[in-house]
Amino acid sequence: MADNTNNNNINNNNNKDEDDEFKEIKEEWIQIQNSLKQQLILTDNVTWSLNELRYIGGVDISFVKDNNEDACACLIVLEYPSMNIVYKDIGFIKLTLPYIPGFLAFREVTFLMEMINRLKSDPVNSQYLPQVILVDGNGILHPRSFGLACHLGVLADIPTIGVGKTPFQQDGLNIKDIRDQFKKNCQNAGDFIHLVGTSGTIWAAALKSHKDSTNPIYVSQGHKLSLETTLNIVKLLTLYRVPEPIRQADLQSRDYIRLNFKPTTPPNTTTTTANK
DNA sequence: GCGACAG
DNA sequence: ATCTTGTCGC
């Protein structure tokens, strides 16, 4: 009865933390996404044409600082081309899962689906069900070609677009090369470069969305849209660096937290005296 | 051993 | 994601 209970490997205590504390759950999640991936469509698969684009959704989740479970989820529907907000679903949520790089969908997608399903079943507002949803996170620009935008699109069966502010570096993609090419080739708003991996895969586009933007946004296919159509839609909806549906969802959810979040235990645990 | 790692 | 002031320009 010695104390060498886990000696399957000879030297396994020189790594960072534990050896992948999420290894089990990751394997499970990969299987789930592999299954969903069979339903993913990366060509134009919509009944409308661009000049019939009217209702566009944007989703985002904002977080409370120093707090791992309280957050605010928001679904915005904009009318194009007026850009008026015609529908808003916003409220606090309780996060249950951590952020694990490459697995953002599992942390956020259930809350996004709740909002979409609420709209789908709303007798008054279901007319505003968006024709396409812009997602704060990548689409196929992802280690397993299935980012949050893809995951949400398949579950909701709605066309989606992934919009990221930082890219995954995979398949030979490299942030320095991307920035160099971007700086060289993208001078005006609307200019973009394709992100082509070593394998020849076109993962996304780095888009100069606004004339004053130094950094690109990374636009990748989510579901049911070609990259070309995806980019055309993003360009139509961009007034600032971040496309308006996502920008509005972000602004609204941040405001909501600032105005409505009440800490349960204020940082006043020291003084219980001196009230007169 | 080292770098990368959406939000 | 969040922490933060100013600053440059239209």
Side-chain angles (χ1 to χ4, degrees):
Chain A
M1 280 199 272
D3 54 1
N4 51 353
T5 53
N6 50 358
N7 267 347
N8 293 329
N9 302 320
I10 298 175
N11 51 352
N12 59 355
N13 54 357
N14 57 352
N15 277 330
K16 299 172 183 175
D17 300 326
E18 297 109 354
D19 219 37
D20 253 340
E21 60 174 312
F22 299 113
K23 185 178 183 189
E24 327 262 289
I25 193 70
K26 282 183 182 176
E27 290 173 356
E28 184 183 328
W29 285 348
I30 289 172
Q31 295 312 313
I32 293 173
Q33 293 193 316
N34 281 340
S35 173
L36 292 175
K37 207 183 295 184
Q38 299 176 23
Q39 301 173 54
L40 188 66
I41 297 172
L42 297 177
T43 54
D44 288 325
N45 200 267
V46 293
T47 57
W48 40 266
S49 57
L50 268 193
N51 58 7
E52 296 170 314
L53 191 60
R54 185 162 187 200
Y55 297 126
I56 304 97
V59 289
D60 188 35
I61 295 180
S62 290
F63 299 81
V64 176
K65 61 176 179 178
D66 301 325
N67 184 321
N68 285 323
E69 61 174 27
D70 290 299
C72 175
C74 181
L75 163 65
I76 289 284
V77 180
L78 295 183
E79 181 185 50
Y80 182 85
S82 73
M83 299 302 229
N84 291 327
I85 296 176
V86 294
Y87 179 83
K88 175 171 79 170
D89 185 346
I90 191 166
F92 286 115
I93 58 173
K94 290 280 189 184
L95 297 164
T96 58
L97 297 168
Y99 167 66
I100 302 174
F103 298 88
L104 176 65
F106 292 91
R107 178 163 161 87
E108 298 195 346
V109 81
T110 54
F111 303 103
L112 305 181
M113 281 302 299
E114 279 180 18
M115 295 190 290
I116 293 172
N117 287 331
R118 193 149 47 228
L119 174 54
K120 280 182 176 175
S121 60
D122 186 321
V124 175
N125 293 305
S126 61
Q127 58 174 313
Y128 297 126
L129 191 69
Q131 293 158 286
V132 52
I133 299 176
L134 275 64
V135 179
D136 192 356
N138 293 314
I140 64 170
L141 177 55
H142 178 273
R144 297 179 308 284
S145 315
F146 201 77
L148 173 59
C150 302
H151 198 127
L152 181 69
V154 168
L155 289 186
D157 190 27
I158 292 178
T160 52
I161 291 173
V163 178
K165 291 175 273 302
T166 58
F168 279 106
Q169 301 180 59
Q170 49 176 281
D171 191 21
L173 296 182
N174 162 276
I175 185 64
K176 288 192 175 293
D177 293 343
I178 292 172
R179 285 189 179 143
D180 287 345
Q181 292 182 41
F182 178 76
K183 190 172 292 185
K184 184 187 300 180
N185 298 303
C186 302
Q187 309 291 334
N188 305 307
D191 292 349
F192 65 88
I193 56 172
H194 287 306
L195 268 46
V196 185
T198 305
S199 68
T201 302
I202 300 177
W203 294 100
L207 171 70
K208 188 177 176 79
S209 51
H210 186 274
K211 64 180 177 61
D212 294 334
S213 302
T214 303
N215 299 313
I217 58 173
Y218 297 91
V219 179
S220 60
Q221 294 166 78
H223 186 42
K224 288 191 167 182
L225 292 173
S226 67
L227 180 56
E228 182 184 6
T229 302
T230 292
L231 281 165
N232 285 333
I233 292 173
V234 169
K235 289 181 189 178
L236 290 178
L237 301 171
T238 298
L239 304 178
Y240 304 94
R241 178 177 178 234
V242 176
E244 210 54 15
I246 294 175
R247 181 172 166 272
Q248 285 301 329
D250 182 59
L251 292 172
Q252 302 270 340
S253 56
R254 286 196 206 205
D255 274 353
Y256 192 88
I257 288 175
R258 186 170 52 75
L259 297 174
N260 301 313
F261 183 75
K262 310 290 185 220
T264 53
T265 308
N268 284 337
T269 55
T270 52
T271 309
T272 56
T273 60
N275 251 348
K276 192 179 203 343

